[in-house]
Amino acid sequence: MTDNHDFDLFVIGAGSGGVRAARMAASKGKKVAVAEERYLGGTCVNVGCVPKKLFVYASQFPELFHASRGFGWDMGDQPNLNWSRLRDNKTTEIERLNLIYQQLLDNSGAKLFNGRATIKGPYQISINGVDYSAKNILIATGSWPFIPEFPGSELAISSNEMFYLDRLPEKAVVVGGGYIAVEFAGILNGLGVETHLVYRGSQLLKAFDPEVASWVQQGMREKGITIYLNTEVEKITQKDQQLIINLNQGESIEAGLALYATGRNANTAGLGIENTQIILNNRGSIEVDKHFRTAEPSIYALGDVIDRVQLTPVAIQEAMVLIDHLYANKTCEMDYNNIPTAVFSQPELATVGLTEAQAKEKYNHIQVYKSDFKPMFNTLGGGSSRIFIKLMVDRATDRVVGCYMVGDHAAEIIQGIAIAIKAGATKAHFDATIGIHPSTAEEFVTLRI
């Protein structure tokens, strides 16, 4: 114990960032506690990136079945999806991961509390009716889906419930234009659901390069998703087992499901923030300094709850930086530049570095290299999709400052390119690199125009 406290560090939230922080602190000999009220692993493991990616894999099989004919395979009868088997197999895998997180915490020596922790004051935490003290408190409670209030909003579901549906509807409406919305629209469409995507803006994926986002949007339409832009839902009503979704353009859609993917808010409700000096910004997220310290000197926060970059690997890295700062006397700070990102839409999008507009704003002279082509798989598979890649280069230094790709395996390819860009690779380095032939990835080292 330190300074007569029960714990050196009390972590609220056992998601990726919280667990990493707890394990690292415990490995340095600190007495650590972790409190989790829902499930080990947080959003990503339970109702986020992991089950979502499993569903993305499942939704890609119809196109693979179709393509197999061109490669000489006869599939026989039309394959059918067993939704309950997919859902339950997914749940079994998630439960396996929950157990791994439990073992990681147990092996680290950190003490796990199952329940909701509340902050009673700068050093005081209450959980399951018992009060504890800690020299430092870390808030790593993540975020929670946001559904706006409107007539019938209680009939809509969020991405959380999507992973546990009793049955798949024949027709669904997805509301939103960010990465979660486009990913679930692709999943539902691929699983055989007639899918409609409604977004109030004029362009999907507005946080990304507009040209690249338009490629994704067009690809989604080619796969059969109906997209409504500049459109909002006015109300939802129930008719027997169906929902009637009324749009502000005067149209209505009858569907079995309305899925809202309209953003996520910091999960701070009921934490006891009012008992501290912690400041929330205008988005409701916790304000922290460069060392993740809140306005309450003994309390820190990281991950989605601070809403800097809402990505699991970012939360993990933030945890490592924080623990090194607290317990290893290191002065390093979190570097948010050149974070690779993927959208598991269909077609898939991945990027690292700046958009074209950002690059032109930051540098005086930018050279943009582009290529679009038919992937080799489609020559026999018969698909109509194409691959689009884009590089932004600062002409003064020849450094590659941004890279985008739309198409199959984009995330896998961009992850490798992200290392090169992080290391400061130039266009000359790309040009001098021998490509792996035949592959999509080789196109990045053969761009000349």
Side-chain angles (χ1 to χ4, degrees):
M1 290 182 287
T2 303
D3 298 338
N4 297 318
H5 292 294
D6 297 314
F7 297 99
D8 294 298
L9 179 66
F10 198 110
V11 181
I12 305 176
S16 299
V19 169
R20 179 59 63 90
R23 291 176 58 212
M24 285 192 65
S27 73
K28 297 181 184 300
K30 303 303 175 181
K31 190 171 184 181
V32 180
V34 185
E36 175 55 56
E37 65 170 330
R38 288 191 182 87
Y39 28 53
L40 295 177
T43 294
C44 178
V45 168
N46 295 275
V47 287
C49 31
V50 173
K52 172 196 70 183
K53 188 69 179 292
L54 294 175
F55 281 4
V56 168
Y57 286 139
S59 66
Q60 291 172 338
F61 277 95
E63 286 193 353
L64 293 175
F65 291 147
H66 176 78
S68 69
R69 298 181 187 129
F71 290 92
W73 289 91
D74 293 321
M75 295 300 297
D77 296 336
Q78 181 69 27
N80 293 311
L81 172 71
N82 185 322
W83 163 253
S84 61
R85 187 192 306 157
L86 168 62
R87 179 199 61 210
D88 295 347
N89 285 349
K90 174 272 305 176
T91 300
T92 298
E93 171 60 11
I94 299 310
E95 290 171 348
R96 184 186 72 85
L97 295 175
N98 294 150
L99 181 60
I100 289 175
Y101 271 79
Q102 173 81 60
Q103 293 170 341
L104 289 172
L105 285 172
D106 289 345
N107 293 338
S108 74
K111 180 175 178 58
L112 175 64
F113 291 94
N114 294 305
R116 183 168 185 80
T118 55
I119 301 171
K120 305 292 286 293
Y123 307 97
Q124 300 297 318
I125 304 98
S126 178
I127 183 166
N128 300 330
V130 181
D131 292 344
Y132 298 92
S133 66
K135 184 177 181 181
N136 290 120
I137 297 170
L138 172 61
I139 300 173
T141 49
S143 59
W144 199 252
F146 168 73
I147 299 178
E149 290 189 11
F150 61 92
S153 60
E154 72 279 0
L155 297 172
I157 69 168
S158 73
S159 55
N160 287 359
E161 294 77 44
M162 178 64 207
F163 293 109
Y164 296 95
L165 292 179
D166 291 333
R167 61 180 182 84
L168 272 183
E170 293 183 3
K171 189 174 180 179
V173 173
V174 179
V175 181
Y179 75 93
I180 297 175
V182 300
E183 286 174 340
F184 275 106
I187 288 168
L188 287 163
N189 179 67
L191 295 179
V193 178
E194 181 185 328
T195 304
H196 299 252
L197 180 62
V198 176
Y199 180 48
R200 65 183 181 180
S202 59
Q203 174 74 61
L204 299 180
L205 300 172
K206 66 179 182 181
F208 295 85
D209 186 286
E211 182 179 25
V212 176
S214 68
W215 272 82
V216 175
Q217 184 172 295
Q218 181 59 31
M220 292 172 67
R221 282 187 162 130
E222 289 175 357
K223 291 177 184 292
I225 298 172
T226 302
I227 298 175
Y228 304 77
L229 298 175
N230 302 307
T231 304
E232 296 189 57
V233 174
E234 288 192 332
K235 68 177 180 178
I236 302 176
T237 55
Q238 187 146 17
K239 178 183 178 183
D240 299 325
Q241 299 299 313
Q242 293 292 296
L243 301 176
I244 308 299
I245 296 97
N246 292 101
L247 309 180
N248 64 343
Q249 307 286 6
E251 190 174 349
S252 65
I253 306 171
E254 184 173 336
L257 176 75
L259 170 63
Y260 262 71
T262 45
R264 298 177 65 89
N265 290 339
N267 187 18
T268 58
L271 269 181
I273 298 292
E274 67 279 4
N275 300 322
T276 72
Q277 300 181 66
I278 291 174
I279 297 171
L280 303 182
N281 62 25
N282 57 9
R283 302 184 307 276
S285 305
I286 296 176
E287 288 194 356
V288 295
D289 65 13
K290 61 184 180 180
H291 296 304
F292 306 105
R293 176 176 277 173
T294 71
E296 186 66 66
S298 63
I299 301 179
Y300 295 78
L302 55 75
D304 286 6
V305 77
I306 67 173
D307 192 26
R308 285 185 174 172
V309 179
Q310 291 195 17
L311 294 171
T312 295
V314 171
I316 292 172
Q317 184 66 20
E318 288 174 342
M320 296 171 70
V321 170
L322 170 62
I323 298 305
D324 278 344
H325 168 69
L326 286 177
Y327 304 125
N329 296 318
K330 293 186 178 180
T331 58
C332 59
E333 298 174 14
M334 183 69 186
D335 182 5
Y336 293 98
N337 294 311
N338 294 322
I339 295 174
T341 305
V343 180
F344 293 104
S345 49
Q346 299 182 50
E348 190 171 297
L349 179 158
T351 176
V352 60
L354 305 177
T355 67
E356 181 176 346
Q358 290 169 339
K360 288 180 177 177
E361 183 177 340
K362 185 172 182 178
Y363 300 101
N364 292 328
H365 300 289
I366 289 292
Q367 181 72 51
V368 180
Y369 297 83
K370 305 177 188 178
S371 177
D372 76 270
F373 54 93
K374 184 177 184 178
M376 186 177 182
F377 183 81
N378 285 349
T379 58
L380 298 187
S384 61
S385 63
R386 297 180 66 81
I387 287 176
F388 176 70
I389 63 176
K390 182 175 182 178
L391 283 182
M392 275 65 69
V393 178
D394 172 25
R395 293 180 65 181
T397 63
D398 197 42
R399 283 189 61 176
V400 179
V401 297
C403 178
Y404 271 88
M405 175 179 168
V406 177
D408 291 343
H409 314 299
E412 306 291 347
I413 292 171
I414 294 297
Q415 178 65 83
I417 290 177
I419 299 172
I421 291 180
K422 193 73 174 179
T426 64
K427 183 63 169 63
H429 288 130
F430 275 61
D431 294 346
T433 301
I434 303 299
I436 299 173
H437 184 74
S439 70
T440 295
E442 72 175 319
E443 297 291 328
F444 284 101
V445 299
T446 60
L447 285 171
R448 296 294 183 270
I449 57 174

